[in-house]
Amino acid sequence: MHPGDHRVCFVGDSFVQGTGDASGLGWTGRVAAAARAAGYDLTAYNLGVRRDTSADIAARWQAECDARFRSECTPYIVFSFGANEMTALDETLRVPVPGSVENFLKIVGEAQPRCHVLFVGPPPVGDAAQDVRIATLCTTYQLLAGELGVPYLPLAQTLAGDPAWARAVAAGDGTHPDGDGYALVADRVMNWPAWWFNTVTR
Amino acid sequence: MHPGDHRVCFVGDSFVQGTGDASGLGWTGRVAAAARAAGYDLTAYNLGVRRDTSADIAARWQAECDARFRSECTPYIVFSFGANEMTALDETLRVPVPGSVENFLKIVGEAQPRCHVLFVGPPPVGDAAQDVRIATLCTTYQLLAGELGVPYLPLAQTLAGDPAWARAVAAGDGTHPDGDGYALVADRVMNWPAWWFNTVTR
């Protein structure tokens, strides 16, 4: 048993919410269950909202996390967003890159001094043009996270070339994977040295 | 397959959050997975927060639900709270009954005209004196819900006498049940005629 009352807010979009996973667990539910099985007293709050961009998240993350962190617990936030801003909207994007960068710095920069923070990069969504934009945004986010000292797990490029991910998205709704796809992401998080709740023997 | 894009916010306390359930599903995750298995396109947002009273929920439910309901979906809210206000605090309760009644009417009364609303009554918490207060509050809430025309599922009295629930709470942390206890609650919700996503053959 590991000591402490650990409360994690997972803040992001549909990929945090677990959309497409019949079990409803998503990757966040899987990593939380694995941490509990390894002896951590962990409460997971899933604050993923379908269609959310960095602009939507900037407007809500603080109030929602504040309502969930009690003084007697150790607070953690995992952010994960970026795919939805790269959706084409008429002649532009839902959130063009400069605004997305600004939102990232505002959100992650304000969270980082307050609690433990990680960032899980956006996954590909199965649309070739959008996936190129997501991969580029992912690289930009990774640089920004490095400047802030926040560990960053890139997914966009590595998942895009993984046939198991492609199968999972095909078995899901064409954009979101099924449970097998979320299990792939959960494995990457649990094998990430920055992840707080070590459940994998290395 | 049933038509529609159904999005349900489950708003409440630790019993909504699923505290004590190693799987992390709680009763809300179980009823949502069953609805999906029965062919409903259902997105479940778990907005249960540990230690929350009706006063805490009054302060956050609208902003949190508004951020999750998109114009293209059908919105539903299941509220469930009441156990935490009946916790003794010095000479009084965390939220004395008149305040709890006022909060209930404010929250449920404001939600009811806006979307489909149900109320799942608070469960017993394994403390004899508190459980008497919870059972009384449950009866009061049930009357108020009736006046508002909101279906109400009482749990406090029936679970308190159920040996399977007592075993689940003993296997949990003494206040919250383990997964078997949450499965009992899920069964009651799925067998409730007011439940929207019929998964049980009657």
Side-chain angles (χ1 to χ4, degrees):
Chain A
M1 192 69 191
H2 303 272
D5 175 348
H6 309 281
R7 307 210 182 173
V8 186
C9 287
F10 294 94
V11 180
D13 53 25
S14 56
F15 289 97
V16 170
Q17 196 273 329
T19 306
D21 185 350
S23 76
L25 287 170
W27 64 265
T28 70
R30 285 174 170 77
V31 301
R36 281 189 288 268
Y40 291 96
D41 176 4
L42 185 148
T43 302
Y45 291 112
N46 186 322
L47 300 172
V49 175
R50 296 179 67 171
R51 287 186 58 79
D52 260 21
T53 65
S54 61
D56 300 310
I57 291 164
R60 67 178 173 87
W61 77 271
Q62 263 183 307
E64 293 189 358
C65 291
D66 284 351
R68 283 155 178 80
F69 293 143
R70 305 289 181 181
S71 55
E72 69 272 22
C73 75
T74 309
Y76 306 80
I77 302 178
V78 183
F79 290 106
S80 183
F81 54 80
N84 288 326
E85 27 235 283
M86 297 295 105
T87 302
L89 192 74
D90 301 325
E91 303 272 300
T92 179
L93 300 175
R94 284 187 63 205
V95 182
V97 173
S100 183
V101 165
E102 191 182 330
N103 291 332
F104 181 101
L105 289 171
K106 188 163 175 288
I107 295 166
V108 182
E110 282 176 14
Q112 197 265 345
R114 298 166 49 161
C115 65
H116 304 283
V117 175
L118 295 177
F119 200 101
V120 173
V125 300
D127 173 283
Q130 186 167 351
D131 284 348
V132 169
R133 294 193 294 269
I134 290 172
T136 306
L137 184 70
C138 181
T139 305
T140 305
Y141 275 5
Q142 188 165 15
L143 288 169
L144 301 173
E147 285 173 21
L148 295 170
V150 169
Y152 185 95
L153 182 67
L155 293 178
Q157 297 92 332
T158 59
L159 284 179
D162 185 336
W165 176 260
R167 280 194 300 275
V169 171
D173 62 12
T175 298
H176 306 94
D178 66 359
D180 290 345
Y182 286 107
L184 287 177
V185 175
D187 283 342
R188 291 180 193 221
V189 172
M190 290 189 287
N191 280 289
W192 186 19
W195 177 237
W196 304 296
F197 309 104
N198 193 348
T199 54
V200 179
T201 308
R202 274 185 284 267
Chain B
M1 191 68 191
H2 303 271
D5 175 349
H6 309 281
R7 307 209 182 175
V8 186
C9 286
F10 294 93
V11 180
D13 54 24
S14 57
F15 289 98
V16 171
Q17 195 274 328
T19 306
D21 185 350
S23 77
L25 288 170
W27 65 264
T28 70
R30 284 173 172 78
V31 301
R36 280 189 288 268
Y40 291 96
D41 176 5
L42 184 147
T43 302
Y45 291 112
N46 186 322
L47 298 172
V49 175
R50 295 178 68 171
R51 287 185 59 77
D52 259 20
T53 65
S54 61
D56 300 311
I57 290 163
R60 69 178 173 85
W61 78 270
Q62 263 182 306
E64 293 188 358
C65 292
D66 284 350
R68 283 156 179 80
F69 293 143
R70 306 289 182 182
S71 55
E72 70 272 21
C73 74
T74 309
Y76 305 81
I77 303 178
V78 183
F79 290 105
S80 182
F81 54 81
N84 288 327
E85 28 234 284
M86 295 296 105
T87 302
L89 191 73
D90 301 325
E91 303 271 299
T92 179
L93 300 175
R94 284 188 63 205
V95 182
V97 173
S100 183
V101 165
E102 191 183 328
N103 291 333
F104 181 101
L105 289 172
K106 188 164 175 287
I107 295 166
V108 182
E110 283 176 13
Q112 197 265 345
R114 298 167 48 161
C115 65
H116 303 284
V117 175
L118 296 177
F119 199 101
V120 173
V125 299
D127 174 283
Q130 185 166 352
D131 284 349
V132 169
R133 294 193 294 270
I134 290 172
T136 306
L137 184 70
C138 181
T139 305
T140 305
Y141 275 6
Q142 189 165 14
L143 288 169
L144 300 173
E147 285 173 21
L148 294 171
V150 169
Y152 185 95
L153 182 67
L155 294 178
Q157 297 91 332
T158 58
L159 284 178
D162 185 336
W165 177 259
R167 281 194 300 274
V169 171
D173 63 11
T175 299
H176 306 94
D178 65 359
D180 290 346
Y182 285 108
L184 286 177
V185 176
D187 282 343
R188 291 180 192 220
V189 171
M190 291 188 287
N191 279 290
W192 185 20
W195 177 237
W196 304 296
F197 309 104
N198 193 347
T199 56
V200 179
T201 309
R202 272 185 285 266

